[in-house]
Amino acid sequence: MTTDEARIKARYPKASPADYLLGGLAAVAVLTAIVLVIISGLRNSNPDVVAMIRGFEVPSATEITAELVVQRKDPTQAAECRMYAQAESYETVAERIVEVPPGTEELTTMDVSLKTTKEATAIRIDGCRLAG
């Protein structure tokens, strides 16, 4: 064995059983994390209720109206959506929980009006859930 080979062998010793055990545990941990991410993604990719605002108008300084479209997996169940209106300064100027009654269609369109404390420039949905 040359001096270079001896130096390389001293620098990179053979792996011990503990090294193989730690490597195996790390691989299992990574695979577990991947599986959990996949399961979480599949569960959250198709929620029971989702909504969007198709359009909105500001008819006065104290009101904002919007067209809300709600999609439910089971249209026979009632749902509720929390909506906020914002002023130009991004402060919340109105808040309302909109109740969507049971129906027969997966897509439900509703006209919603919020009374504001000052002129609103935007409206948003904070979230929707099944009621009850």
Side-chain angles (χ1 to χ4, degrees), residues 25-119:
L25 289 175
V28 168
V30 168
L31 288 175
T32 302
I34 290 171
V35 168
L36 288 175
V37 167
I38 290 171
I39 290 171
S40 175
L42 289 174
R43 282 187 49 210
N44 294 325
S45 66
N46 195 9
D48 293 330
V49 182
V50 292
M52 69 173 234
I53 296 171
R54 186 176 289 161
F56 71 92
E57 291 181 0
V58 182
S60 71
T62 59
E63 182 181 19
I64 187 168
T65 60
E67 184 178 10
L68 179 69
V69 180
V70 180
Q71 180 179 1
R72 294 172 282 186
K73 283 184 188 177
D74 182 7
T76 61
Q77 292 187 315
E80 55 186 29
C81 296
R82 182 178 298 270
M83 298 180 70
Y84 292 97
Q86 291 179 322
E88 189 174 5
S89 61
Y90 299 105
E91 66 184 303
T92 300
V93 293
E95 176 181 349
R96 179 175 171 197
I97 295 177
V98 178
E99 296 180 4
V100 183
T104 57
E105 301 291 325
E106 280 189 22
L107 288 178
T108 304
T109 302
M110 298 178 63
D111 290 323
V112 179
S113 177
L114 278 75
K115 299 294 180 194
T116 61
T117 56
K118 66 191 244 187
E119 187 170 8

